Amino acid sequence: MPQKGLDRGPAPRRPPKSRSVTTMLDILAIVAAFSALNLGLSIFNKWALDGSGTAFPSPSLYTMCHMIASVLGALLIMAAIASQRTLSVAQAVQHWLPLGALAVFFAGSLVLNAASLATLSISVNQILRACTPLPQVLSAWLVEGKAIQPRLFAIVSSLCIFAAFAIPLGTASADVRGVVFAVGATVLVAAKQSVAAVLMGGGKKKSAHDGLTPVALVFYDGGLSFFYCLFAWVVQPAERDASIAYLRDRPALSLLVLGVGSTMAMLYNIASFTLTKATSSVTSAVLGAALKVGLIAMSAAFFEQETPHTPLNWIATFAFVGVLGAYVYDRQLATAAKKAEE
């Protein structure tokens, strides 16, 4: 009879890594990339388009170069990774309408946001962009078929009200035209996120997405948006002529502005679609709003110390941050309740 403890048999195998942990680590990596690119691109766009920076005169041409970089980046990824080669003519024909809408929403949001940065401070721009959750809730209802929760709707409505009072209108940091552009960009971003969620198989109105991965959407989105931006650039003679003169007189600075901005935009587009697929359109809006609060604080503290803010502006800004915290908390409660039901 063998002694106890000598015959231990084969060494026990290490348990496989939990899929939920892997998924969480993947999401954290996506969130980190999205966060860095979101903040970095906002600051760079302000520097590139504002009169105190390089004063690049054409938001349409600036955005058009972003679209070219996005298409090239998507093609490089597809060339390097076989699993990402999911494009087909049949796919494009089947989904031509939502893909076209996605391109219009995306390009329009970028052009309007770029135009707003020419006349708005970063903090005012980001306050308005942080209101994305309200149009996102409405867009998720209209496009994705998701129900509107009264408590959630009340919170995001309050967010927009406080944002309106936080803006120092009539100062050098904010004018009406810039505010209209930023609000338009916010609405188009919400519509784009919901259309992308449906195309990638999210929401209740699920799409037979047939390989519509985040990289494929970046390819279609950038390719179709290029023509939208080209049209916008051609039909505006003043902007077109000014940009041509700028490229001729400052070739090195033009290459820096367009090259760096386009590369960051391409990476941001991939991260944005990937985040939407990994989570949801509303979650993406929440994260984007939270990041914008950080940028608002940084901008007001370090870059806009001379901007005149009334006591009402500051009270509304702090209330805005508080409501945004309530928004995030409400979403956490909803997620916990959903998991408890499963």
Side-chain angles (χ1 to χ4, degrees):
M1 182 176 179
Q3 295 183 7
K4 186 177 180 180
L6 294 180
D7 185 13
R8 298 182 179 180
R13 295 181 179 179
R14 296 179 66 181
K17 198 171 186 179
S18 169
R19 179 173 179 81
S20 61
V21 173
T22 303
T23 302
M24 181 57 66
L25 291 177
D26 290 342
I27 291 176
L28 288 176
I30 296 168
V31 167
F34 176 81
S35 303
L37 291 165
N38 187 306
L39 295 177
L41 190 59
S42 295
I43 294 173
F44 185 85
N45 286 346
K46 176 63 176 176
W47 174 78
L49 297 165
D50 187 40
S52 60
T54 65
F56 191 79
S58 175
S60 299
L61 179 60
Y62 185 72
T63 306
M64 184 166 58
C65 292
H66 290 186
M67 299 302 101
I68 295 173
S70 295
V71 171
L72 293 177
L75 290 175
L76 286 175
I77 292 174
M78 292 177 193
I81 305 174
S83 61
Q84 295 296 328
R85 301 168 196 165
T86 59
L87 302 178
S88 68
V89 175
Q91 178 190 79
V93 172
Q94 180 181 357
H95 302 292
W96 69 271
L97 183 58
L99 287 173
L102 184 74
V104 171
F105 295 152
F106 184 49
S109 70
L110 292 180
V111 170
L112 289 177
N113 186 57
S116 75
L117 286 170
T119 58
L120 298 182
S121 66
I122 293 180
S123 62
V124 172
N125 173 272
Q126 295 302 298
I127 285 175
L128 292 169
R129 298 296 302 279
C131 295
T132 302
L134 176 57
Q136 190 65 68
V137 168
L138 298 174
S139 179
W141 171 60
L142 289 170
V143 179
E144 301 175 59
K146 294 183 177 180
I148 296 179
Q149 302 173 19
R151 183 175 62 184
L152 176 61
F153 187 78
I155 290 175
V156 296
S157 298
S158 300
L159 197 71
C160 294
I161 292 172
F162 286 123
F165 285 106
I167 299 171
L169 277 174
T171 69
S173 296
D175 69 353
V176 175
R177 185 181 64 173
V179 169
V180 171
F181 285 159
V183 170
T186 298
V187 173
L188 292 178
V189 165
K192 169 214 146 187
Q193 293 283 52
S194 288
V195 172
V198 172
L199 283 170
M200 290 186 291
K204 292 185 177 180
K205 298 179 181 179
K206 295 185 180 295
S207 166
H209 48 90
D210 299 328
L212 281 173
T213 62
V215 174
L217 280 187
V218 168
F219 173 81
Y220 286 120
D221 195 24
L224 295 172
S225 298
F226 168 82
F227 295 101
Y228 174 87
C229 295
L230 178 62
F231 175 79
W233 181 68
V234 169
V235 299
Q236 301 181 79
E239 182 179 316
R240 183 185 68 242
D241 295 342
S243 62
I244 293 174
Y246 190 99
L247 294 172
R248 182 184 61 246
D249 298 337
R250 305 179 183 180
L253 184 58
S254 298
L255 182 62
L256 172 67
V257 169
L258 296 177
V260 174
S262 297
T263 301
M264 293 178 66
M266 179 266 292
L267 296 174
Y268 172 76
N269 293 344
I270 295 174
S272 177
F273 282 128
T274 304
L275 180 64
T276 299
K277 182 175 178 63
T279 55
S280 71
S281 62
V282 176
T283 299
S284 298
V286 173
L287 178 61
L291 292 172
K292 286 171 177 58
V293 169
L295 190 58
I296 291 164
M298 289 172 52
S299 177
F302 299 108
F303 303 114
E304 302 168 16
Q305 297 178 357
E306 298 180 357
T307 299
H309 287 79
T310 67
L312 178 61
N313 293 148
W314 285 114
I315 292 172
T317 299
F318 287 119
F320 175 87
V321 174
V323 173
L324 187 59
Y327 182 105
V328 174
Y329 180 68
D330 181 79
R331 292 300 86 203
Q332 289 178 334
L333 291 179
T335 301
K338 184 176 180 180
K339 289 182 178 179
E341 293 175 358
E342 295 177 350

